[in-house]
Amino acid sequence: QKEVEQNSGPLSVPEGAIASLNCTYSDRVSQSFFWYRQYSGKSPELIMSIYSNGDKEDGRFTAQLNKASQYVSLLIRDSQPSDSATYLCAVNYGGSQGNLIFGKGTKLSVKP
Amino acid sequence: KAGVTQTPRYLIKTRGQQVTLSCSPISGHRSVSWYQQTPGQGLQFLFEYFSETQRNKGNFPGRFSGRQFSNSRSEMNVSTLELGDSALYLCASSFGLQYEQYFGPGTRLTVT
């Protein structure tokens, strides 16, 4: 059973702080990893993708991947109240299958 | 570039009825995946189509079916609706099986 685990939160950080979101996955053959942001009542929005070990930065977002530890994280620098949402970690296990396995999501609240 | 579109956005049906949901992917995208999202189970994979072929299917009963047309548009059908089918149904499109997936706004189905 392929699983993706996230802390459900809520994770509360003050405005301007760094928010750190974590995700672990169960299968070592995983190929690609994604972070989605979902506002209440809306559909998931892709914010980061990462395919190889290390860090990938895009604006205020940094995704970190450690395949040996089966761990992927998302850092949000200078957090803003508009970042308050549920963050979903998704894993693509590759092969002939393109579907994503999602974690249950971490709810982030950024307090002004 | 236009995003993924889904119709209808909202639907209310009665137990025992059937429903058809439609998804138009981003232009040039050939892969379409369907997901069900509920508060209790989170995002769960239904099925995936690439070039009109179902490549993968999630763990859902046979009442759930889908298809993809030559223009990459996709439909999913749920027959003999049950109360538990009430959910947000999301379609995601991607260029190929291992590429980033972009979600449509979803169809909110309520079964009474």
Side-chain angles (χ1 to χ4, degrees):
Chain A
Q1 180 80 1
K2 295 171 180 171
E3 294 182 340
V4 177
E5 299 286 341
Q6 294 181 254
N7 288 328
S8 60
L11 174 65
S12 183
V13 300
E15 184 175 355
I18 296 175
S20 178
L21 304 162
N22 304 314
C23 171
T24 58
Y25 57 95
S26 62
D27 199 315
R28 287 187 175 272
V29 300
S30 304
Q31 297 291 315
S32 46
F33 307 84
F34 306 92
W35 284 98
Y36 287 83
R37 176 176 63 197
Q38 187 172 26
Y39 292 112
S40 181
K42 301 293 186 181
S43 63
E45 174 193 7
L46 179 67
I47 53 172
M48 288 289 286
S49 59
I50 187 165
Y51 300 91
S52 55
N53 280 327
D55 295 359
K56 179 182 177 182
E57 187 174 317
D58 184 359
R60 296 187 296 112
F61 299 99
T62 299
Q64 300 174 317
L65 175 62
N66 184 325
K67 288 190 176 183
S69 300
Q70 296 172 232
Y71 175 91
V72 58
S73 65
L74 179 70
L75 301 177
I76 306 174
R77 289 182 301 281
D78 188 24
S79 295
Q80 300 297 309
S82 59
D83 295 326
S84 299
T86 296
Y87 289 80
L88 299 163
C89 173
V91 176
N92 184 316
Y93 284 94
S96 63
Q97 301 174 4
N99 65 286
L100 299 175
I101 308 295
F102 282 86
K104 293 287 179 69
T106 298
K107 189 168 185 178
L108 173 66
S109 177
V110 181
K111 304 294 187 185
Chain B
K1 209 176 208 182
V4 180
T5 59
Q6 291 187 247
T7 56
R9 293 292 310 279
Y10 302 92
L11 208 49
I12 300 175
K13 290 287 188 178
T14 306
R15 272 184 305 174
Q17 289 186 313
Q18 75 165 17
V19 65
T20 299
L21 311 181
S22 182
C23 170
S24 292
I26 293 169
S27 178
H29 283 189
R30 296 167 63 192
S31 177
V32 172
S33 298
W34 288 89
Y35 297 85
Q36 181 197 66
Q37 188 174 34
T38 59
Q41 298 299 317
L43 264 161
Q44 292 188 291
F45 170 71
L46 280 157
F47 25 66
E48 172 196 18
Y49 289 89
F50 181 78
S51 293
E52 302 178 66
T53 302
Q54 187 180 91
R55 293 299 181 114
N56 196 14
K57 190 177 191 305
N59 190 24
F60 278 81
R63 301 185 296 107
F64 291 81
S65 62
R67 58 178 175 167
Q68 187 180 34
F69 302 96
S70 59
N71 61 358
S72 295
R73 191 177 69 85
S74 178
E75 289 181 347
M76 68 164 281
N77 184 277
V78 188
S79 62
T80 319
L81 283 166
E82 300 178 359
L83 295 178
D85 297 333
S86 294
L88 179 66
Y89 289 89
L90 292 158
C91 162
S93 84
S94 65
F95 182 73
L97 291 179
Q98 304 300 327
Y99 289 79
E100 299 167 338
Q101 294 188 16
Y102 298 90
F103 283 88
T107 295
R108 174 76 60 186
L109 172 65
T110 302
V111 181
T112 63

